[in-house]
Amino acid sequence: MTYHQEHRTPLSHAPVPQAADVDPAVAEAIAGELRLLDPSVRLSRALAAELLDPEFVEVGASGRRWTYEEMLAALPGMAGSVEDGTHYEPEAVTGVLLAPGLVHLTYETLRDGQRARRSSLWRRAPGAPEGSALRMYYHQGTPVPQADVQP
């Protein structure tokens, strides 16, 4: 059986989709992704830990590889973590249900005039009950060269 459901959120800070045709797992992953961009979540190790899978890995826009513990330790000091500072502005969030309990998100962010393309995998832990929360398993950010910025 093939699973593929796509949902696009065209506006930055758009509400999480609630339409009947949107898979609840896709909506849950989008909500989690947006929470991880919230400075109050980025500043709280406990809140961020609820959203990151213990096997989490990120390849950041800088090319650095981050583990779960490294990200939780560094997140409060990273860009976008200060309430009155600059924030990541997500655009064109697309969610695809790849399989039960596995969602792929893609989107772009803008912060301080810098654009990045982002990709995340959200999963329900293997063996976890169906109702347990999805958590971010993998994330990658890639800078967008100025020449590639679409109007």
Side-chain angles (χ1 to χ4, degrees):
M1 180 180 290
T2 301
Y3 292 89
H4 181 96
Q5 180 178 19
E6 188 170 313
H7 176 79
R8 294 184 184 275
T9 302
L11 303 174
S12 64
H13 302 290
V16 176
Q18 300 298 319
D21 62 337
V22 175
D23 186 273
V26 171
E28 179 183 353
I30 292 171
E33 193 83 35
L34 296 176
R35 283 189 63 212
L36 279 170
L37 295 175
D38 182 325
S40 65
V41 173
R42 296 170 75 82
L43 288 170
S44 168
R45 182 181 178 96
L47 292 176
E50 291 175 7
L51 297 167
L52 297 179
D53 188 279
E55 295 179 19
F56 170 81
V57 173
E58 174 172 334
V59 177
S62 67
R64 179 177 173 177
R65 183 182 184 277
W66 297 84
T67 64
Y68 174 80
E69 285 298 330
E70 290 170 335
M71 182 56 69
L72 289 177
L75 196 57
M78 295 177 106
S81 297
V82 179
E83 288 287 345
D84 58 351
T86 60
H87 300 115
Y88 288 99
E89 298 176 33
E91 298 176 350
V93 178
T94 300
V96 178
L97 180 65
L98 299 176
L102 182 63
V103 175
H104 181 223
L105 298 181
T106 57
Y107 61 103
E108 290 190 10
T109 56
L110 182 64
R111 189 186 67 77
D112 281 343
Q114 300 295 312
R115 187 168 293 282
R117 292 192 178 111
R118 301 189 178 273
S119 177
S120 298
L121 287 174
W122 287 76
R123 75 171 184 175
R124 203 167 320 285
E130 180 60 32
S132 61
L134 291 172
R135 296 168 89 181
M136 184 186 283
Y137 175 71
Y138 179 80
H139 183 78
Q140 182 163 351
T142 305
V144 178
Q146 192 59 34
D148 272 0
V149 174
Q150 310 278 323

